[in-house]
């Protein structure tokens, strides 16, 4: 991939590509993105999904922890005011007062989700005509996103991003008809 697109990805997702310029004994990202520019949109969309999922999981965990802390305090003290402030920006809202009274009578704590470990990309390359995206961290949801992106690369021209097919003959690549003709010449 060209240097501008490489830099754009690394600047947009610094947590994912924090090892981009480390030595080869630490990561294979030292060689950069070893494929053509056509898969840039697949990778950018994948990275957006990965980082968005990680950040969302952390926000949801914090929300659940705060909610449970405020609910615990309310149950212990009987004071509904902190709970009402937590769930509503309007302290006199009847729905919030009603919700606080119901929660006091029958407290239901929120399940606290696990934090999704931050993904660090180890290598991004082409192999047998498809994208390979190797990483550490994540969860099964991220595994599925990566599998989907890798599958999308099998029908996307590596050179230009147009619809393509895997073509053999020496080096296996996914190319559109136009780039397949150029390859044959």
């Amino acid at each position: 991939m060209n240097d501008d697109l490489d830099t754009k990805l690394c600047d947009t997702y610094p947590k994912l590509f924090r090892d981009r310029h480390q030595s080869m004994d630490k990561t294979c990202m030292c060689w950069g993105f070893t494929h053509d520019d056509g898969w840039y949109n697949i990778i950018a969309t994948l990275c957006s999904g990965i980082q968005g999922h990680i950040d969302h999981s952390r926000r949801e965990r914090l929300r659940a922890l705060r909610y449970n802390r405020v609910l615990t305090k309310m149950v212990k003290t009987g004071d509904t005011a902190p709970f009402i402030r937590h769930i509503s920006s309007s302290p006199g809202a009847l729905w919030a007062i009603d919700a606080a009274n119901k929660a006091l009578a029958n407290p239901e704590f929120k399940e606290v989700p696990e934090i999704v470990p931050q993904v660090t990309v180890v290598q991004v390359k082409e192999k047998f005509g498809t994208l390979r995206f190797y990483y550490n961290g994540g969860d099964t949801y991220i595994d599925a996103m990566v599998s989907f992106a890798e599958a999308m690369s099998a029908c996307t021209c590596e050179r230009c991003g147009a619809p393509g097919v895997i073509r053999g003959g020496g080096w296996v690549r996914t190319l559109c008809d136009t780039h397949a003709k150029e390859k044959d010449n």
Side-chain angles (χ1 to χ4, degrees), residues 7-185:
T7 300
K8 187 174 181 181
L9 278 173
C10 293
D11 288 349
T12 304
Y13 304 103
K15 292 177 185 176
L16 295 176
F17 297 109
R18 70 175 177 222
D19 294 340
R20 169 63 183 88
H21 298 288
Q22 295 293 321
S23 64
M24 71 175 84
D25 63 330
K26 293 191 181 359
T27 180
C28 292
M29 279 308 298
C30 64
W31 294 299
F33 298 85
T34 55
H35 53 80
D36 282 327
D37 298 346
W39 291 341
Y40 171 80
N41 287 333
I42 293 173
I43 296 167
T45 302
L46 173 61
C47 291
S48 175
I50 289 172
Q51 195 59 56
H53 175 65
I54 292 167
D55 294 345
H56 177 75
S57 78
R58 291 169 193 255
R59 284 190 306 272
E60 287 303 305
R61 181 176 173 81
L62 287 174
R63 280 189 191 113
L65 288 170
R66 280 189 211 118
Y67 179 88
N68 290 347
R69 188 172 50 249
V70 170
L71 182 59
T72 300
K73 187 175 180 182
M74 181 179 72
V75 169
K76 285 182 180 177
T77 66
D79 181 12
T80 59
F83 185 84
I84 292 169
R85 280 193 305 274
H86 179 76
I87 64 171
S88 174
S89 59
S90 177
L94 293 177
W95 71 268
I97 294 168
D98 187 43
N101 289 329
K102 285 180 183 174
L104 187 57
N106 186 22
E108 291 184 26
F109 293 90
K110 293 192 183 243
E111 184 178 331
V112 179
E114 292 294 317
I115 291 177
V116 176
Q118 178 62 50
V119 166
T120 304
V121 180
V122 176
Q123 186 176 25
V124 183
K125 67 178 187 175
E126 175 276 331
K127 185 174 183 179
F128 301 122
T130 60
L131 176 69
R132 296 294 194 269
F133 191 92
Y134 301 109
Y135 60 96
N136 294 321
D139 62 2
T140 56
Y141 188 82
I142 290 172
D143 293 342
M145 283 193 280
V146 170
S147 293
F148 182 74
E150 290 176 346
M152 288 297 300
S153 72
C155 58
T156 305
C157 179
E158 183 183 344
R159 299 276 311 277
C160 67
V165 295
I166 295 177
R167 300 171 193 264
W171 196 265
V172 178
R173 300 193 64 192
T174 301
L175 299 170
C176 63
D177 291 339
T178 303
H179 287 109
K181 288 176 189 171
E182 287 177 8
K183 180 184 164 211
D184 291 338
N185 293 333

